[in-house]
Amino acid sequence: MLTIYSDKHKLRNSKTELVGGLLVEPFERPSRMEHITARIKETGLGEMIEPRDFGMDPILAIHDADFVSFLSTAWEEWKATGAKGEAIACTWPARRMVQICPNDINGKLGYYCLATETSISEGTWEATLASANVALEGADRLADEKVLFSACRPPGHHAAIDLYGGYCFLNNAGIAAQYLLDKGTERIAILDVDYHHGNGTQDIFYTRDDVLFISLHCDPMDEFPNFLGYANETGEGAGEGYNLNFPMKPGTKFDEWRANLKQALDRISDYAPDALIVSLGVDTFKNDPISQFKLESDDFTTYGADIAKLGLPTLFVMEGGYDIGEIGLNTVNVLQGFEAG
Amino acid sequence: MLTIYSDKHKLRNSKTELVGGLLVEPFERPSRMEHITARIKETGLGEMIEPRDFGMDPILAIHDADFVSFLSTAWEEWKATGAKGEAIACTWPARRMVQICPNDINGKLGYYCLATETSISEGTWEATLASANVALEGADRLADEKVLFSACRPPGHHAAIDLYGGYCFLNNAGIAAQYLLDKGTERIAILDVDYHHGNGTQDIFYTRDDVLFISLHCDPMDEFPNFLGYANETGEGAGEGYNLNFPMKPGTKFDEWRANLKQALDRISDYAPDALIVSLGVDTFKNDPISQFKLESDDFTTYGADIAKLGLPTLFVMEGGYDIGEIGLNTVNVLQGFEAG
């Protein structure tokens, strides 16, 4: 299996994540990707290549232009205030407040953010662009390769039309999906197996029927992102019926998770898409430090094979997974399971 | 002038404020009140007395019961997670997300919060209740005293019906206003002279004509709370015309500020309320560390006298002001200016 990878992910190297009332080293850190690429080499999964630069058009095809402009300048604007730390949102348009973007950088951060754990740091934008290109290169080669792995970092599935957070800035899977549609593909399914709900992807395609979005995740009643991912969110307008959430309780084991996956795969099969994009988070692993599902490493191989049975051209796009020691094993297990499936 | 004061303000002694991407000692700290009470004693402004306990009814008369319940248990719920830091919101219902309160404490914090600079710490709730009682004791004695100072801490004007933030948890001025109305007063004017917009007070009374709310503050385009306080927010329904905002640009000096105050006082005079509540923040001072207006200490005396010319029973309720060294001088200058005016 071909992997698309860019060294530029290392430019996303924030020093602070707000969690538990403290600023700590971010769980989403460069060594995650180093362990994944090491495992790819160790297992001989296949070649790793750099992406081309696809420019801004495929990004602006799904993201708000003012939001993209904000992301591209946020670090410079923040630095100009003389702030000593990284750029963290402090206030936001809460209930009954007005939904307008203020002039000052603190206001802008809050307007465009959905969660403060994600600091904007030097190099974040460059790494984010490279990550989008990693997804786009995978999408561009999908017709030829049939299956690829876009080793995206930073991840993307929490990034909405005009919101960042949850370690995500641009929605890599969404950008890849729109690129395929714009190249003539008629229908895409996005299957999000990350532990956290893919709120950004849902937001982007919620009113559309050319992208079926299905997410398996921890119940937002109990887990980030808390404010999207409920079972009653089924799409709107033309998109009604094309959004499907499978929230599961903390502590969920593979049997229950796989039963929901089977329902998801059945729905994808009925939809008969031209291609599948998998938002691949491996934070469902039992030892993940910030998650509460109970998958074993072998379970990742099993469900990779389950997904393969759809027989669809499939682009895997990397999302979350924070058990650094096992992230390579679990990620490559899915890909190897798919190849063997 | 009689001052209402409670030592319990010291129980609000949070160790962390998120600002500039760092966790620092909060600007809203106990020594603020110590400098105010020291100045009251030094100048012989008048007696200081403790408030009685007015119970929960006057609080629940304007705040959402689930919100109040959340505030009363938030610290215990947070501690039970094993978090090492103070309770800081990390995620919230951003645009196009659902407006429901999740089960887990992280979700609850985000649901009920409007800004992350405000950590919930041990003792916060006890101090908050005492601060509300300080406001209520002042309201209860207003008929007899004609003018009083409720030395509230923590402050209140950013606390909305069901939102905390901006160092505020319960809206002391709003609670006092509602108490007076419930005791038979027909019309109240609240004049908010804090540097920051009194978004919480506006939120509480936005649809009502029995409370006229007027705020002089830095333009939210440029300053916290960013998402409320614009000039076009004039009230809704029965409240249309009973909300008046005077946003001013960073750098505003006293001449311009006083011209706006004159307009505010004229409007209050036209409204002919039975009583006036002043949300007294002195962070308009030129040396305030987090604010950008340019008032001199003598200007506080001048505008205290301006307010006195309304000839109304007047309850001063303490809000912001973060230049610790001068907060006592500037606060008491307003009160002495009023007495002499």
Side-chain angles (χ1 to χ4, degrees):
Chain A
M1 188 185 302
L2 185 63
T3 293
I4 319 297
Y5 165 81
S6 169
D7 258 341
K8 289 184 180 165
H9 81 85
K10 295 173 184 170
L11 295 170
R12 171 63 183 160
N13 192 14
S14 161
K15 303 305 180 197
T16 52
E17 172 175 342
L18 180 66
V19 60
L22 301 174
L23 289 169
V24 303
E25 182 189 353
F27 290 99
E28 202 296 290
R29 61 184 74 158
S31 58
R32 295 176 60 243
M33 190 51 67
E34 290 160 15
H35 280 254
I36 292 170
T37 54
R39 182 69 182 172
I40 288 170
K41 288 172 188 160
E42 185 185 319
T43 58
L45 181 77
E47 200 185 348
M48 290 200 288
I49 63 165
E50 291 266 334
R52 290 163 288 169
D53 179 359
F54 288 77
M56 294 309 295
D57 287 349
I59 292 167
L60 294 170
I62 61 163
H63 285 291
D64 174 74
D66 289 340
F67 169 66
V68 173
S69 172
F70 157 78
L71 285 178
S72 72
T73 59
W75 176 247
E76 293 302 321
E77 277 190 69
W78 176 260
K79 264 201 315 182
T81 68
K84 297 283 189 294
E86 294 178 337
I88 307 180
C90 262
T91 183
W92 54 88
R95 277 167 289 135
R96 300 182 302 281
M97 298 180 88
V98 296
Q99 302 287 335
I100 61 168
C101 186
N103 288 332
D104 77 304
I105 182 63
N106 279 295
K108 285 183 190 174
L109 285 165
Y111 181 75
Y112 285 123
C113 187
L114 61 86
T116 48
E117 85 291 285
T118 303
S119 305
I120 292 181
S121 53
E122 184 159 18
T124 292
W125 178 238
E126 292 73 12
T128 297
L129 280 180
S131 191
N133 281 321
V134 165
L136 285 161
E137 186 70 49
D140 196 63
R141 290 171 179 263
L142 187 57
D144 295 334
E145 297 287 334
K146 303 304 179 199
V147 58
L148 299 94
F149 176 45
S150 283
C152 291
R153 184 181 173 273
H157 72 146
H158 295 304
I161 295 169
D162 55 3
L163 291 165
Y164 76 95
Y167 314 143
C168 301
F169 302 93
L170 294 175
N171 195 303
N172 304 310
I175 290 167
Q178 188 62 51
Y179 181 86
L180 287 169
L181 293 168
D182 290 344
K183 289 283 179 186
T185 303
E186 290 188 5
R187 282 193 307 283
I188 306 274
I190 302 179
L191 173 66
D192 190 322
V193 297
D194 188 280
Y195 170 78
H196 302 93
H197 177 247
N199 62 284
T201 319
Q202 171 172 315
D203 178 59
I204 290 164
F205 298 111
Y206 203 60
T207 59
R208 293 169 50 172
D209 61 4
D210 55 350
V211 175
L212 170 68
F213 177 67
I214 305 186
S215 182
L216 282 71
H217 52 268
C218 190
D219 192 333
M221 263 288 158
D222 305 301
E223 187 59 88
F224 183 89
N226 289 116
F227 303 101
L228 216 63
Y230 294 92
N232 65 353
E233 297 158 9
T234 55
E236 272 179 19
E240 179 61 47
Y242 297 93
N243 193 88
L244 194 52
N245 285 322
F246 290 95
M248 288 168 265
K249 282 290 164 188
T252 293
K253 292 177 183 160
F254 186 56
D255 281 357
E256 182 187 345
W257 192 91
R258 195 183 186 196
N260 281 318
L261 177 68
K262 184 176 184 316
Q263 287 189 58
L265 296 175
D266 286 349
R267 177 71 185 94
I268 292 169
S269 193
D270 290 346
Y271 182 67
D274 303 299
L276 174 68
I277 295 174
V278 179
S279 268
L280 179 58
V282 296
D283 40 6
T284 49
F285 182 54
K286 62 180 181 182
N287 295 334
D288 193 273
I290 60 170
S291 309
Q292 303 183 68
F293 280 178
K294 299 297 175 192
L295 271 62
E296 309 277 344
S297 288
D298 287 348
D299 297 335
F300 291 91
T301 312
T302 303
Y303 86 66
D306 289 346
I307 294 170
K309 292 198 172 57
L310 286 172
L312 290 169
T314 299
L315 175 63
F316 288 93
V317 173
M318 194 67 203
E319 303 287 0
Y322 309 98
D323 183 348
I324 309 291
E326 306 297 328
I327 189 175
L329 174 69
N330 294 333
T331 301
V332 176
N333 276 2
V334 176
L335 305 175
Q336 289 182 316
F338 184 95
E339 286 200 315
Chain B
M1 186 183 306
L2 184 64
T3 292
I4 320 295
Y5 165 83
S6 170
D7 258 343
K8 289 184 179 165
H9 81 84
K10 294 174 185 168
L11 296 170
R12 171 63 184 160
N13 192 13
S14 160
K15 303 305 180 198
T16 51
E17 171 175 342
L18 180 66
V19 59
L22 300 174
L23 290 168
V24 303
E25 181 189 356
F27 289 98
E28 202 297 290
R29 60 185 73 158
S31 59
R32 294 177 60 242
M33 190 51 67
E34 290 159 15
H35 281 254
I36 291 170
T37 54
R39 182 70 183 170
I40 288 170
K41 289 173 188 161
E42 187 185 318
T43 58
L45 182 75
E47 200 187 347
M48 289 200 287
I49 64 165
E50 290 267 332
R52 289 162 289 169
D53 180 358
F54 288 76
M56 295 308 296
D57 287 351
I59 292 166
L60 294 170
I62 60 162
H63 284 292
D64 174 75
D66 288 340
F67 169 66
V68 173
S69 171
F70 157 78
L71 285 178
S72 72
T73 60
W75 175 246
E76 293 302 322
E77 277 190 69
W78 176 260
K79 267 201 312 184
T81 67
K84 297 283 189 293
E86 294 178 334
I88 307 180
C90 260
T91 181
W92 54 87
R95 277 167 289 138
R96 301 182 303 280
M97 299 180 89
V98 296
Q99 302 287 336
I100 62 170
C101 185
N103 288 331
D104 77 303
I105 182 62
N106 278 295
K108 285 182 191 173
L109 285 165
Y111 182 74
Y112 286 123
C113 188
L114 64 83
T116 48
E117 85 290 286
T118 303
S119 305
I120 291 180
S121 54
E122 185 160 17
T124 293
W125 178 238
E126 292 74 11
T128 297
L129 281 180
S131 191
N133 281 320
V134 165
L136 284 162
E137 186 70 49
D140 196 63
R141 291 171 179 264
L142 186 57
D144 294 333
E145 299 286 335
K146 304 304 179 199
V147 59
L148 298 96
F149 176 44
S150 283
C152 292
R153 183 180 173 272
H157 72 145
H158 295 303
I161 295 170
D162 55 1
L163 291 165
Y164 76 96
Y167 315 143
C168 302
F169 302 94
L170 294 176
N171 195 305
N172 304 311
I175 290 167
Q178 188 62 50
Y179 180 85
L180 287 169
L181 293 169
D182 290 344
K183 290 282 178 188
T185 303
E186 290 190 4
R187 283 194 307 283
I188 306 272
I190 302 178
L191 173 65
D192 191 323
V193 296
D194 189 280
Y195 170 77
H196 303 93
H197 177 246
N199 62 285
T201 319
Q202 171 171 316
D203 178 59
I204 290 164
F205 298 111
Y206 203 60
T207 59
R208 293 168 51 172
D209 60 5
D210 55 350
V211 175
L212 170 68
F213 177 67
I214 304 185
S215 182
L216 281 71
H217 51 268
C218 189
D219 192 333
M221 263 288 157
D222 305 300
E223 188 57 88
F224 183 88
N226 289 118
F227 303 102
L228 215 61
Y230 294 92
N232 65 353
E233 298 157 9
T234 55
E236 273 178 18
E240 179 62 46
Y242 297 92
N243 193 89
L244 194 52
N245 286 321
F246 291 93
M248 289 166 264
K249 282 292 166 187
T252 293
K253 293 177 182 160
F254 186 56
D255 281 356
E256 183 187 345
W257 192 91
R258 194 183 186 198
N260 282 317
L261 177 68
K262 183 174 185 319
Q263 287 189 58
L265 296 175
D266 286 348
R267 176 73 184 94
I268 292 169
S269 192
D270 289 347
Y271 182 66
D274 304 299
L276 173 68
I277 295 175
V278 178
S279 268
L280 178 57
V282 295
D283 40 6
T284 48
F285 183 53
K286 63 180 181 182
N287 294 335
D288 193 273
I290 60 171
S291 308
Q292 303 182 67
F293 281 177
K294 300 296 175 195
L295 270 62
E296 309 278 344
S297 288
D298 287 348
D299 298 334
F300 292 91
T301 312
T302 303
Y303 85 67
D306 288 345
I307 294 171
K309 293 199 172 56
L310 285 173
L312 291 169
T314 299
L315 175 63
F316 288 93
V317 173
M318 194 67 204
E319 304 287 359
Y322 309 99
D323 183 346
I324 308 291
E326 306 297 328
I327 188 174
L329 174 69
N330 295 334
T331 301
V332 176
N333 276 3
V334 176
L335 305 176
Q336 290 182 315
F338 185 94
E339 286 200 317

